[in-house]
Amino acid sequence: MELLIFLIAIVMIGGLIVMPALRRRRGGREAMQGAMRASDPQEYGFVPREWLDVRLPGPDRQLIDALEEVQARQDWQPAARLLALTDATSELRWQRVQTLAGAAAFELAQAPGQGGMWLRTWRVAAPEDPGAAAVQAEFLVRQALLDPSSVDFRMILEEARDVCHEAARLAPDDPVPHIIELGVARGMAYRQADFEELWSKVTKLAPHHMGAHLAALHYWCEKWHGSQDRADVFTHAAAASAPEKSLLPALPLFGVFEHLPEANLVRTLYRSEVIVKAIEGALFAVRQAPADHPVLPHVRHLLVFFLVRAERYAEALEQLRHVDGHVGAVPWSYGADPAAEYTVYRALAVAGWEGGGGSPATLPR
């Protein structure tokens, strides 16, 4: 019963219309039974909420091992070795830098003045290590963007920009420092010409980098320095020029997400032509991308969000089957409790599936 109350509260707060739609279209009893069944996630092979990993969107055993060693001993060297062995042109390097910086930021938030000391020690002990510089730059961007109203906001971003330039000098073939500077550009409101000059540096090194496009998208969004139209132009141009096996056809779905209305009172919004096309583009990207693409879980997580809201529950469960266990991705990471956000949608997917007569035994494998 507690889970049921929790689900209803989340749905009401978020303005989600899926459960009311289920009651009207299929009857509330079946949907609620589905939600209750989701409290036992093992029936669907799902991981219990308390075991969900909020650090990563998907598995990376080498990174987790290195991070756990770093945190247990406050020793930066496992992180340094891992990044040194990670191909600079791989999107995996970008994701690993993101995760290490996020871990340091989380430690600092938990223990102000002391947490994340391993990163500071790393920079002092290995000033010419490009991996250390990249992680510190990303860490600084995150610290600044925590509170854009802070009097230190611009000063922190200026320091981050300097460290980005240092990281780029230390590793000229690595696009990650330039990608991190895209966050600086967003926070410091670079002129469009300056942003495009920075973007040209990124695309020269990694023209089809999905992570880079996700970082650049924020600049073009309405809530920063662009508009919905500019964001649409950016995402659709990238999708149209994507090579085979690229995730870029999924980029318009991220653009749609960034411009969703604060409150939705339109039942058919998630079955509208714009959103359906964006979902189909993302599904196409997921089907053709390599199974080990490091950014693939990011796309799957966002698809869960949209497929549940579009009441496409079987497809949502298919995406959940691939990502369950890790929740460090948009949209869950925008909330205060990513694991809670994720498990609500997971429960709603099960509720919808069983409300339509499905069961764990009939779910396609």
Side-chain angles (χ1 to χ4, degrees):
M1 189 64 184
E2 290 180 354
L3 174 65
L4 181 55
I5 294 171
F6 176 68
L7 284 171
I8 293 172
I10 291 292
V11 168
M12 291 179 66
I13 291 171
L16 187 62
I17 61 173
V18 172
M19 291 305 289
L22 280 170
R23 293 192 191 99
R24 289 191 295 270
R25 294 177 60 189
R26 301 188 181 94
R29 182 177 303 171
E30 292 83 3
M32 290 303 176
Q33 287 175 346
M36 292 301 290
R37 185 182 294 276
S39 65
D40 182 10
Q42 292 183 352
E43 288 196 44
Y44 282 82
F46 292 146
V47 172
R49 174 181 165 179
E50 60 272 18
W51 292 358
L52 293 171
D53 191 331
V54 301
R55 297 169 295 184
L56 288 168
D60 184 345
R61 190 68 254 170
Q62 288 181 314
L63 175 56
I64 293 302
D65 288 345
L67 185 55
E68 289 178 350
E69 193 175 351
V70 165
Q71 293 176 322
R73 304 201 325 248
Q74 287 297 295
D75 178 7
W76 53 269
Q77 294 185 69
R81 287 194 295 269
L82 180 69
L83 288 185
L85 294 172
T86 305
D87 183 358
T89 63
S90 166
E91 297 208 36
L92 186 61
R93 183 177 177 84
W94 169 75
Q95 185 152 285
R96 286 175 169 177
V97 167
Q98 293 257 314
T99 302
L100 290 168
F106 179 78
E107 288 179 41
L108 183 61
Q110 296 297 107
Q114 296 297 321
M117 188 64 72
W118 54 269
L119 176 54
R120 282 167 276 180
T121 304
W122 185 6
R123 283 290 286 143
V124 171
E128 296 297 302
D129 185 339
V135 174
Q136 186 195 24
E138 175 63 26
F139 168 83
L140 290 168
V141 171
R142 288 173 181 244
Q143 290 301 107
L145 293 178
L146 280 175
D147 185 8
S149 65
S150 167
V151 295
D152 297 327
F153 176 69
R154 189 170 185 89
M155 181 181 69
I156 296 172
L157 285 178
E158 287 174 349
E159 182 182 356
R161 180 177 58 189
D162 291 343
V163 180
C164 285
H165 294 171
E166 184 179 354
R169 175 184 63 81
L170 293 169
D173 296 330
D174 186 356
V176 171
H178 303 298
I179 296 171
I180 296 170
E181 192 179 348
L182 294 172
V184 176
R186 177 178 20 136
M188 293 183 68
Y190 278 24
R191 295 181 309 147
Q192 182 174 327
D194 295 331
F195 184 86
E196 289 178 343
E197 181 181 354
L198 172 60
W199 181 240
S200 71
K201 294 178 182 178
V202 174
T203 55
K204 182 178 180 180
L205 293 170
H208 307 297
H209 195 293
M210 182 65 174
H213 282 78
L214 292 175
L217 171 60
H218 290 287
Y219 179 90
W220 296 113
C221 286
E222 187 175 278
K223 61 186 175 183
W224 285 98
H225 310 297
S227 65
Q228 184 167 353
D229 286 344
R230 286 188 173 185
D232 285 348
V233 168
F234 175 74
T235 59
H236 285 88
S241 63
E244 289 186 11
K245 301 184 178 180
S246 168
L247 283 175
L248 287 176
L251 195 63
L253 189 64
F254 287 85
V256 168
F257 176 75
E258 293 295 337
H259 293 92
L260 286 174
E262 289 281 336
N264 171 39
L265 301 178
V266 181
R267 277 189 57 200
T268 58
L269 174 65
Y270 293 91
R271 294 191 294 278
S272 65
E273 182 180 1
V274 169
I275 291 184
V276 168
K277 283 184 176 179
I279 290 173
E280 294 306 321
L283 288 170
F284 169 78
V286 164
R287 287 192 293 267
Q288 69 159 357
D292 61 350
H293 194 299
V295 188
L296 181 56
H298 287 278
V299 180
R300 292 192 186 278
H301 280 288
L302 193 63
L303 273 168
V304 170
F305 173 90
F306 276 99
L307 290 169
V308 166
R309 289 195 168 204
E311 301 180 46
R312 295 166 63 168
Y313 302 114
E315 292 168 284
L317 287 169
E318 170 64 14
Q319 301 307 317
L320 285 164
R321 188 171 64 83
H322 287 281
V323 298
D324 192 64
H326 300 82
V327 296
V330 171
W332 331 121
S333 57
Y334 279 173
D337 187 343
E341 299 274 351
Y342 171 82
T343 51
V344 165
Y345 275 79
R346 189 174 69 180
L348 289 171
V350 171
W353 173 248
E354 298 198 343
S359 69
T362 60
L363 188 66
R365 296 293 180 183

